[in-house]
Amino acid sequence: FAAQTLDTNPLIEGFFLSISTVGAILAGLGWFLFASTASSTPSVPQTRLVYRFTAVAVGLSILLTATAPAHSVSWTVQAGSANESAFAMISPHVGYWLHTMLLATLFAAGTLLFARAWAAGRDVTYTRAYTLAGTLTVVAVLGSNIVQPGNHTIAPLAAATLTTIGWIQAYTKQTARVPIVWRWADRQ
């Protein structure tokens, strides 16, 4: 997303917007898959059907996004955007709104799975953090995409909190095992 600032040419900005939009949908898919397979979350009912539908929807979204410069199904880059903003100024079309709804749905579905785990009392510290950060991400995606389509967004920063929580969780659980190893080594 930030690569749009490298050149003020609307064509270049639109290219990097397409790449960032593909990355966003892959991040949403990754979040949903992580949440649906995490040990603390409940399993997704009718998993095969849900995963198949999700794969087809994400594939179509990527196809429309990657080919956005060649058609106007997703958006058109406004020609005067070079003077107004370092980011692409677009006129969103149906494909853009479908992409936004799919992205929000993927983040919301993963967040809902963690919310259910939090309500069930599973790994409360992390499920609560994932639920709150996931909710923030959904709000950021919807808010940014509605208020300034294709332009300034805080959604990548909000989504980065999910990765940060995952890193902290993995680090904490890994280091929790270290003292046991050291105690075992001391006894030998």
Side-chain angles (χ1 to χ4, degrees):
F1 184 80
Q4 292 179 61
T5 61
L6 295 176
D7 193 331
T8 57
N9 181 332
L11 186 62
I12 304 296
E13 290 176 340
F15 170 76
F16 284 118
L17 175 64
S18 293
I19 290 174
S20 68
T21 306
V22 168
I25 201 72
L26 291 174
L29 176 63
W31 169 245
F32 172 67
L33 292 175
F34 169 69
S36 65
T37 59
S39 60
S40 59
T41 58
S43 62
V44 177
Q46 301 174 347
T47 304
R48 288 184 180 162
L49 181 60
V50 169
Y51 289 146
R52 287 177 183 158
F53 175 77
T54 302
V56 168
V58 167
L60 288 173
S61 181
I62 289 172
L63 179 67
L64 285 175
T65 299
T67 60
H71 58 74
S72 61
V73 174
S74 296
W75 63 75
T76 51
V77 177
Q78 296 174 359
S81 68
N83 298 327
E84 298 173 22
S85 174
F87 296 97
M89 300 291 289
I90 64 168
S91 296
H93 301 288
V94 172
Y96 176 84
W97 297 116
L98 291 174
H99 167 82
T100 297
M101 293 313 300
L102 177 60
L103 184 59
T105 300
L106 288 170
F107 276 111
T111 301
L112 180 62
L113 289 172
F114 277 110
R116 288 178 54 200
W118 178 17
R122 295 187 198 133
D123 205 0
V124 174
T125 302
Y126 296 107
T127 56
R128 176 180 50 224
Y130 283 131
T131 301
L132 296 175
T135 301
L136 172 68
T137 303
V138 171
V139 169
V141 164
L142 290 174
S144 294
N145 287 7
I146 291 169
V147 173
Q148 291 191 324
N151 208 323
H152 306 285
T153 182
I154 59 167
L157 294 175
T161 61
L162 300 169
T163 303
T164 304
I165 295 165
W167 184 85
I168 291 169
Q169 180 182 18
Y171 180 78
T172 303
K173 290 190 177 196
Q174 184 63 30
T175 57
R177 295 181 190 150
V178 171
I180 295 169
V181 172
W182 286 112
R183 280 187 242 139
W184 178 79
D186 289 341
R187 290 182 189 170
Q188 297 302 323

